[in-house]
Structures are given as C-alpha cells and as structure tokens.
Amino acid sequence: MRQRWLRVLFRRRMLTILLLLLQVYFLICLVLGGSQLSRNFSRLLTIVSIIAVLYIVSQKDKGAYKTAWAILILTFPLFGGLMYLLSNAQSSKWRFAKSVLHTQQKAKPLYALPGICYESATKQLPEYYPQIHYLQEYTGFPIYADTETHYLTPGERKLETLLAELEKAEKYIFLEYFIVQEGVMWNSILEVLKRKTTQGVTVRLIYDDVGCFLTLPKDYAKQLKKHGIQCAVFNPFRPVLTVKQNNRDHRKIAVIDGKVAFTGGINLADEYINAIEKHGHWKDAAIMLKGKAAWSFTLIFLQTWEICTHTDEDYEIFYPWKEQECPVTAKGFVQPYADSPMDEENVGEHVYLHILNNAKKYVYISTPYLIVDDSMLSALRLAAKSGVDIRIITPHRWDKWWVHMTTRSYYRELIKSGVKIYEYTNGFIHSKTFVSDDRTATVGTTNLDFRSLYLHYECGALLYEAKAVMEVKEDFLQTLEICQQVTEKDCKTNIVVHLLQDILRLFAPLM
C-alpha cells in the first residue's frame, strides 16, 4: 500500500515538474528561435524589464528586496521582467489579498470577546507600552491575562502534550501546518482525530500544498474527508509559470475548543520528533497556551479556513466562554500575533525589533537561519554596541548549503559589533525564539530570513512576565552547553568563498 502511495506521489510531482520545464523550454525557444516573431518577442521582453525596474524603484518595498530584483532583471533583461510580473502582477494575487483583508476586518472586533487588559498591562509594563500598543491598537492583536503558558521542547514533548490535549476535545479541533507527513508523529495524531470525529467533535485541517509537495498525495484531502475530517489545502500548487506560489502558509497552529492553543516551529513530520534522523538531532520548540489568549489562535485559523474554502464562517459560534467565565488564572500577559504578506505590515519583524530596542540586559535568540536586511542587522549591532548581551544560536549542520553559507556571511560584522554567535553542534536547531531581560519572550514560526519576515504567513505568541519566559531562557542556556562559539578567526575565508557569500547575500531576498 505504501509503495503504491509513493508511486502515485512520485508521478504527480514529476508530471508537475515536467510541465514547468516544458513551459520554460517553450519560452527559451520563442526568444532564441531567430525568427521575426522571436526578435519582436525579445524586444517586448526587454521593454517589459525596463518598465519593471522603474516600477520596482518607485515602490515602498524593502531596499534589499528592490535591489535584488533590479539586479536580477538587468542581468537577465529578457526574462527578468517577466519573472517579476509573474511574481507581483497577478489578478489572482490581488483577489487573494482582498479576501485576506476581508477576513481580518471581520475578525477584528471579535478578538476582544474574552476581555482584554490593555490598561492594566500598560500600567504594569510601562517599558513595553510601545510594543503592546503597536500589536493591539495598530495591528489588531490584543493582549490577554488569565492564560497559562507552557514551553515545550523538543518536538517529542510537544507531541506528547498535544496528544493528551486532543483527547480532551469536546467540540472542535483545528490544525494548520506547513508540513504534514505520514509517519509516527502524524499517524498517532490522525488516530486520535478519527476517534474524535466519531464522538461528534468537528475536526479541521489546513496544510500548505508546497510544504507538503513531496510528503502527501494530491487527493489526501479527499482521503481525510472519508474519515470525517474536514480538510483544506492552502494555495494549491499548479504546474504553470507563476510565482504566486511564493506566499506560503508557514504557520503551525493547533486549537482545541478555543481553550487551548499551540504554536511554534514544529511541523507534523517525523524529523521534528527525532523518529528519523535528517540533520542530526532536531532541536525545536513550541508554546502551549491555556485560557483566554487561545481564542486569538482560533480566529487566526478561522480566517485562513474561510479563505481556503471560500465559505462565510460565523466565527463567534466557536467562542468557548459563552456560558461560563474562563476559569484560568495565571501570572503575566500573552499577546498572540499573526503576519500576512498581503499587507505592508511586517508584524513578525516588528515584534523582534521591539524586543531588541527595549532590551536593557540581554536578548537570546534561536533561529535556523540568519539572513536579515539592514534594519534587523543594525538593531542587532546597535543593541550589542550599547552593552546588551546579544547571543544567537544557529545550526552547525545545515539543511540547505546556500542558506547556511549566506547565514555565515553575516557572522563577521555581527561578531565585530559584540554579538555572540553559537552553532548547535548536536544537529539542526529549528526553534524560533527570542527571550529578553527575564521579562519577555516570543515563540513562533518566523525565521530570521526574508521568506519568513516578508513572504510567508506566520504567527507567534509574545509573552510578558509569564511563566514560560524563564523556561525559554533556561532552555537557551542549556542548549549553549552543546554549542560551539564562532569567533572572528572562524569567519575568515578565502577570496572565492567570500565572493560567493557576497553574491548570495545580494540575492538573499529572493531565496
């Protein structure tokens, strides 16, 4: 059965790749054919490229993003402009953006249903007022009290906790993940989901089609529906030349009855729980919220569900505290947030920048990638130069060599500014965490790279004086014990590697 499934999956993927290659071949033949039609088409593409560059320069995008596109187009004038148009000038993308905006406006007033604590939070945490105000008043993600926080690492612990919470579900289970793959992890979750549907629990799953391109068959959503599990595929991948597929759902969300929610870096595949070895020991992290703040992740999920299924959801019917008050009491505050590439607001980046700018003593960061633009690079360097202890853990064993090489290209200037860089020698670290001054931390899905910060749908939970803040810190310090510190001497390379790193950095926004 498994061999048949692999054959079907392989045929689908190979057919998709073949169709894409045929389209590329057709364009190349059309341009290089030597006929009058080819010459006219080449002139048209060149004009398109010139117009595209002028348009790019006039936009409000990040400088590094504009520079990368401009260089690419000018280097390849025949196809560069066409690539840009396929990426950014599609009516389907604009329609998608309109749907995202509609669901955001629809959900915005409902975030306050559990009762928010903006005034008490800003009084107790005056130094964090700018960040609290930005997320609640500008981006619409309120701050909550009465929420337990549990930091879960590594993935094995997250799976154990998630299975226990899924068993308690009474009304609904919502799952939204970038990667789902059959194996020990997903199969154990699926068994619970199947059983819960027979008990009358509504189960919904969203998975990203590109994230699951090599892990699930094309008809997997239909297979799940046979078991009573509602399933939606985010932004289905189609074998046509379009880079609309660039915007992926990189979120990892699990919600149980609107009372419990999980997020973090852990997908539903076996490497995340070390059931298989992919790049050595896989170090990852998640956060579990119990109480009022879980409602935010319920709304974030429902918005994506409505976009994927083209339905008109009544979000309020899923609110869990209609008949009774939320019984949870806990120290501190929690502010969940989400990020979308369909607006001009880089929420994930701004959360990180606020933490760096507010830090007085230290900021400890875990990230699988370190490919940042000038604003993030400047914030890291300025904080270190100002006496803040900035430490960053990245992987020693890479999953993509070009990304790892680009990551290492940033080490030199960061270390010179006083930032301490460590590499996790035991394997691959996939955690996305910031913790600062024993008072605030964030755990989420946003990597320190251009894709996560600007192109993907992401989410996270920002914590203020909650129990899990110190758990994040303690885990970071324990992880340091199995890391090696990178020195300036380690960053010295030959001229060829140095040049390659500089070129990779130039095109990092497009990776």
Side-chain angles (χ1 to χ4, degrees):
M1 179 67 182
R2 182 170 177 81
Q3 289 182 344
R4 178 179 173 275
W5 175 82
L6 287 171
R7 286 197 300 270
V8 171
L9 178 64
F10 181 75
R11 283 200 300 270
R12 178 209 173 190
R13 305 313 183 192
M14 290 306 297
L15 178 62
T16 300
I17 293 169
L18 179 61
L19 288 171
L20 287 170
L21 290 175
L22 284 173
Q23 292 170 73
V24 173
Y25 177 73
F26 171 77
L27 283 173
I28 292 174
C29 289
L30 187 59
V31 171
L32 304 178
S35 66
Q36 185 62 42
L37 176 62
S38 297
R39 288 191 290 272
N40 290 339
F41 189 64
S42 296
R43 293 189 190 102
L44 176 62
L45 289 181
T46 302
I47 293 170
V48 167
S49 292
I50 294 171
I51 294 172
V53 169
L54 294 174
Y55 176 77
I56 290 167
V57 171
S58 69
Q59 295 305 292
K60 297 180 180 179
D61 292 326
K62 288 282 185 176
Y65 188 73
K66 293 196 291 186
T67 300
W69 266 117
I71 292 174
L72 181 66
I73 293 171
L74 294 174
T75 305
F76 304 100
L78 292 181
F79 291 105
L82 182 62
M83 288 175 63
Y84 183 80
L85 289 178
L86 290 172
S87 299
N88 297 277
Q90 306 159 38
S91 60
S92 58
K93 183 175 179 179
W94 295 327
R95 288 196 300 271
F96 199 84
K98 189 176 180 180
S99 297
V100 170
L101 180 61
H102 168 73
T103 60
Q104 287 175 344
Q105 292 174 338
K106 180 177 171 182
K108 191 171 184 178
L110 300 179
Y111 280 99
L113 283 176
I116 54 180
C117 53
Y118 177 78
E119 290 186 5
S120 60
T122 51
K123 283 181 180 179
Q124 292 183 47
L125 305 165
E127 61 273 50
Y128 296 111
Y129 169 83
Q131 183 147 328
I132 296 169
H133 181 87
Y134 165 73
L135 281 179
Q136 178 161 319
E137 300 302 309
Y138 192 81
T139 67
F141 298 110
I143 187 167
Y144 303 92
D146 301 327
T147 303
E148 293 179 10
T149 58
H150 303 270
Y151 181 65
L152 304 171
T153 186
E156 298 91 308
R157 188 176 169 212
K158 188 259 177 111
L159 175 61
E160 179 184 0
T161 308
L162 176 60
L163 288 172
E165 294 300 325
L166 290 174
E167 293 285 5
K168 301 174 187 176
E170 297 177 348
K171 294 184 178 180
Y172 59 85
I173 296 170
F174 296 158
L175 302 172
E176 180 178 348
Y177 282 86
F178 180 60
I179 296 174
V180 177
Q181 183 173 17
E182 290 190 329
V184 175
M185 185 178 194
W186 172 240
N187 292 347
S188 62
I189 293 171
L190 185 57
E191 286 304 310
V192 179
L193 300 182
K194 290 177 182 177
R195 188 166 61 254
K196 282 296 174 180
T197 60
T198 65
Q199 298 171 7
V201 176
T202 298
V203 178
R204 294 181 177 181
L205 168 68
I206 301 170
Y207 65 81
D208 185 90
D209 202 32
V210 168
C212 298
F213 188 72
L214 296 175
T215 64
L216 295 177
K218 182 179 177 63
D219 65 342
Y220 195 67
K222 293 180 180 178
Q223 293 182 32
L224 291 180
K225 288 175 184 176
K226 293 178 182 178
H227 300 291
I229 298 170
Q230 301 174 41
C231 187
V233 181
F234 184 88
N235 199 1
F237 187 80
R238 294 180 176 87
V240 293
L241 277 180
T242 169
V243 199
K244 171 192 165 219
Q245 312 295 342
N246 233 2
N247 303 131
R248 308 314 314 176
D249 185 0
H250 195 244
R251 296 170 183 167
K252 293 93 179 169
I253 296 173
V255 175
I256 296 98
D257 293 339
K259 301 176 180 180
V260 178
F262 295 78
T263 194
I266 302 168
N267 282 298
L268 305 182
D270 281 356
E271 63 265 31
Y272 293 86
I273 59 168
N274 292 291
I276 60 171
E277 183 175 317
K278 199 168 184 180
H279 308 291
H281 182 268
W282 194 285
K283 169 70 175 172
D284 218 322
I287 190 81
M288 177 175 69
L289 308 178
K290 284 189 171 184
K292 291 182 177 179
W295 174 240
S296 264
F297 283 108
T298 311
L299 287 173
I300 291 167
F301 173 91
L302 287 169
Q303 290 174 67
T304 309
W305 181 265
E306 183 170 321
I307 292 166
C308 290
T309 59
H310 308 289
T311 55
D312 186 12
E313 289 287 323
D314 182 358
Y315 302 159
E316 196 168 353
I317 66 172
F318 296 99
Y319 181 62
W321 310 114
K322 290 179 181 178
E323 299 175 0
Q324 61 174 358
E325 287 289 324
C326 174
V328 177
T329 57
K331 179 187 175 184
F333 303 91
V334 181
Q335 200 164 15
Y337 58 90
D339 206 349
S340 162
M342 294 295 110
D343 54 33
E344 296 180 355
E345 203 57 39
N346 304 315
V347 179
E349 179 188 38
H350 293 158
V351 167
Y352 290 163
L353 288 174
H354 270 296
I355 292 175
L356 287 167
N357 294 335
N358 286 332
K360 301 295 187 295
K361 298 178 181 178
Y362 74 84
V363 180
Y364 298 157
I365 302 166
S366 296
T367 178
Y369 315 117
L370 184 59
I371 304 174
V372 292
D373 75 344
D374 288 342
S375 57
M376 183 66 70
L377 190 62
S378 295
L380 288 165
R381 296 178 66 191
L382 179 60
K385 290 176 181 178
S386 302
V388 179
D389 181 13
I390 306 293
R391 305 186 192 187
I392 305 173
I393 297 178
T394 65
H396 183 68
R397 296 178 63 173
W398 40 264
D399 61 339
K400 307 176 188 72
W401 71 265
W402 63 91
V403 174
H404 186 63
M405 181 170 282
T406 311
T407 289
R408 284 191 156 205
S409 73
Y410 289 86
Y411 288 177
R412 291 185 294 269
E413 51 202 299
L414 287 170
I415 292 171
K416 284 180 180 178
S417 300
V419 176
K420 300 180 182 71
I421 305 287
Y422 302 84
E423 290 189 342
Y424 180 65
T425 55
N426 207 29
F428 187 73
I429 189 162
H430 194 252
S431 309
K432 306 99 166 45
T433 64
F434 274 55
V435 60
S436 176
D437 295 351
D438 294 356
R439 301 191 69 192
T440 187
T442 184
V443 181
T445 67
T446 308
N447 297 316
L448 279 175
D449 68 359
F450 284 86
R451 289 206 152 272
S452 267
L453 293 171
Y454 313 124
L455 296 178
H456 287 169
Y457 293 82
E458 306 282 0
C459 64
L462 185 57
L463 319 175
Y464 307 90
E465 298 192 340
K467 178 177 73 72
V469 170
M470 294 307 295
E471 294 173 350
V472 177
K473 179 188 178 183
E474 290 163 11
D475 175 59
F476 183 93
L477 294 176
Q478 289 174 10
T479 305
L480 276 186
E481 297 175 6
I482 46 177
C483 293
Q484 65 181 30
Q485 186 169 0
V486 181
T487 65
E488 275 194 70
K489 185 178 179 181
D490 297 326
C491 297
K492 291 182 179 179
T493 58
N494 60 53
I495 190 170
V496 175
V497 173
H498 199 296
L499 179 61
L500 179 58
Q501 287 180 328
D502 288 342
I503 293 172
L504 288 170
R505 275 183 66 163
L506 193 61
F507 291 100
L510 307 182
M511 286 183 180

